[in-house]
Amino acid sequence: MTAVRWIAARVGSAILVVWIVATVVFFALRATGDPLEAILGGPGSNASPEAIAAATSRYGLDRPVVVQYLLQLRDIATLSLGDSYARRTPVSTLIAEQLPNTLVLAVLALALAWVLAVAGALIQQTARGPVGRAAGAVLRFCEIVASVMPGFWLGAVLIVVFSTSLGWLPATSAANDPASLVLPVVTLAVPIAGFLSQVSREALVEADGAPFATTSRARGAGEARVLLRHTLRHAALPALSLSGWSLGNLLSGAVVVEVLFARPGLGRLLQDAALQRDVPVAIGAVAVVAVIYVVVVTATDALELVVDPRLRGARTPARTAPDQAVGS
């Protein structure tokens, strides 16, 4: 029953998130103007009164806004996202074409962010002497700068340096060109890496002074064994819990990056839909992103339960506290 309640809570959260984002997007786009302009081909289309009447009737724009909103929610609930106003194509088809590009970009950026974060935290934890302290200070400064660095600014700098000046990497990104992924992935990964590195470093320091680490050293374990077998795993838990948030942040940041590097993906699709007031595409795109975010957060929570048995409420009173900590 505990597992059922846990799953029900996650499903309820997913429904709530999708409803909120769909509601916000629908009314925000309707506040910018009548979507009939997008349906009829944009400004200056000079559509005839007959074409206007036909489009209004076909897309239900002659009904009250509240009724249109409820019909849009019905379409989402039935997984029938309708047709794009501007492209005359099913929204599900458009999303299926662009979503893989965005997911590849976000997953690679998250993997790179984790590599940079763990490497930075380990260097600071193991560095000794004046040189090590100086390197740690530099890395801590880099963490702060990276975590607050705007993605669009970093992307522009990378384009100027590595594409325009050095000519090493392309400035525009194609879905089937691995080299064109480098700059967008780095642009997305660096701010997340700075944040994850700070969290991992603080968790490593805390775990290194915990009783289980002291007990391991007292039993003759070397620093490398304590680090790899005990403190690193415990220190990874706080950063692991932030991975779901990080992926959601990467998906939202992909909008800017895909536009900046002219890369096809869900971000550019969403931007075009917002500019064209293409309500079905915009709502479908944000609903898919919201569902992905909830699924990733749920998977992260489940992984935390696997990695740390203490979160499942497991208790074995017969064991002493240090032994329990070492065994976990």
Side-chain angles (χ1 to χ4, degrees):
M1 291 303 298
T2 301
V4 171
R5 286 195 297 269
W6 188 83
I7 294 173
R10 295 313 187 271
V11 173
S13 299
I15 294 174
L16 179 62
V17 169
V18 171
W19 172 70
I20 290 174
V21 296
T23 301
V24 170
V25 171
F26 178 86
F27 287 105
L29 289 181
R30 290 308 305 265
T32 63
D34 192 345
L36 190 62
E37 184 178 281
I39 298 173
L40 296 175
S45 60
N46 296 321
S48 64
E50 293 79 9
I52 294 175
T56 302
S57 175
R58 177 184 176 186
Y59 291 98
L61 299 178
D62 52 346
R63 300 182 180 184
V65 174
V66 175
V67 175
Q68 298 177 39
Y69 165 69
L70 294 176
L71 291 175
Q72 194 71 57
L73 292 183
R74 182 203 62 185
D75 290 343
I76 295 175
T78 58
L79 302 180
S80 174
L81 301 178
D83 294 339
S84 166
Y85 290 165
R87 309 191 187 198
R88 306 293 194 278
T89 304
V91 174
S92 57
T93 301
L94 295 174
I95 293 176
E97 291 174 352
Q98 303 300 330
L99 181 59
N101 299 328
T102 300
L103 288 179
V104 168
L105 182 62
V107 170
L108 290 177
L110 183 59
L112 178 60
W114 261 105
V115 170
L116 295 176
V118 172
L122 288 177
I123 290 173
Q124 295 178 68
Q125 182 67 17
T126 57
R128 298 291 184 269
V131 176
R133 288 192 293 271
V138 171
L139 286 174
R140 286 192 292 274
F141 175 76
C142 292
E143 289 173 355
I144 296 173
V145 173
S147 61
V148 299
M149 188 176 296
F152 66 88
W153 181 86
L154 176 60
V157 170
L158 292 177
I159 289 175
V160 171
V161 174
F162 293 99
S163 181
T164 304
S165 300
L166 300 176
W168 291 353
L169 296 166
T172 57
S173 181
N176 56 353
D177 183 8
S180 67
L181 270 171
V182 175
L183 295 184
V185 168
V186 173
T187 301
L188 280 174
V190 167
I192 298 297
F195 185 75
L196 291 178
S197 182
Q198 293 180 65
V199 174
S200 301
R201 172 172 50 81
E202 294 174 0
L204 268 176
V205 172
E206 181 179 352
D208 192 60
F212 62 82
T214 303
T215 304
S216 297
R217 293 188 181 95
R219 291 177 175 177
E223 290 298 325
R225 180 181 176 84
V226 173
L227 175 64
L228 296 176
R229 190 168 181 183
H230 299 290
T231 58
L232 185 59
R233 188 177 68 172
H234 285 75
L237 289 174
L240 179 63
S241 64
L242 293 172
S243 294
W245 167 85
S246 299
L247 185 59
N249 191 50
L250 290 170
L251 289 174
S252 61
V255 176
V256 176
V257 170
E258 288 174 354
V259 172
L260 182 62
F261 290 95
R263 176 177 173 80
L266 201 61
R268 289 187 64 191
L269 180 67
L270 182 57
Q271 184 213 30
D272 293 342
L275 293 176
Q276 298 170 343
R277 295 196 291 275
D278 199 338
V279 177
V281 173
I283 290 181
V286 296
V288 168
V289 171
V291 170
I292 293 174
Y293 175 75
V294 173
V295 170
V296 171
V297 169
T298 302
T300 303
D301 291 343
L303 185 58
E304 283 186 80
L305 296 177
V306 173
V307 174
D308 191 352
R310 295 171 298 178
L311 299 177
R312 299 197 295 267
R315 296 292 185 270
T316 45
R319 300 168 63 186
T320 62
D323 287 342
Q324 182 176 351
V326 172
S328 64

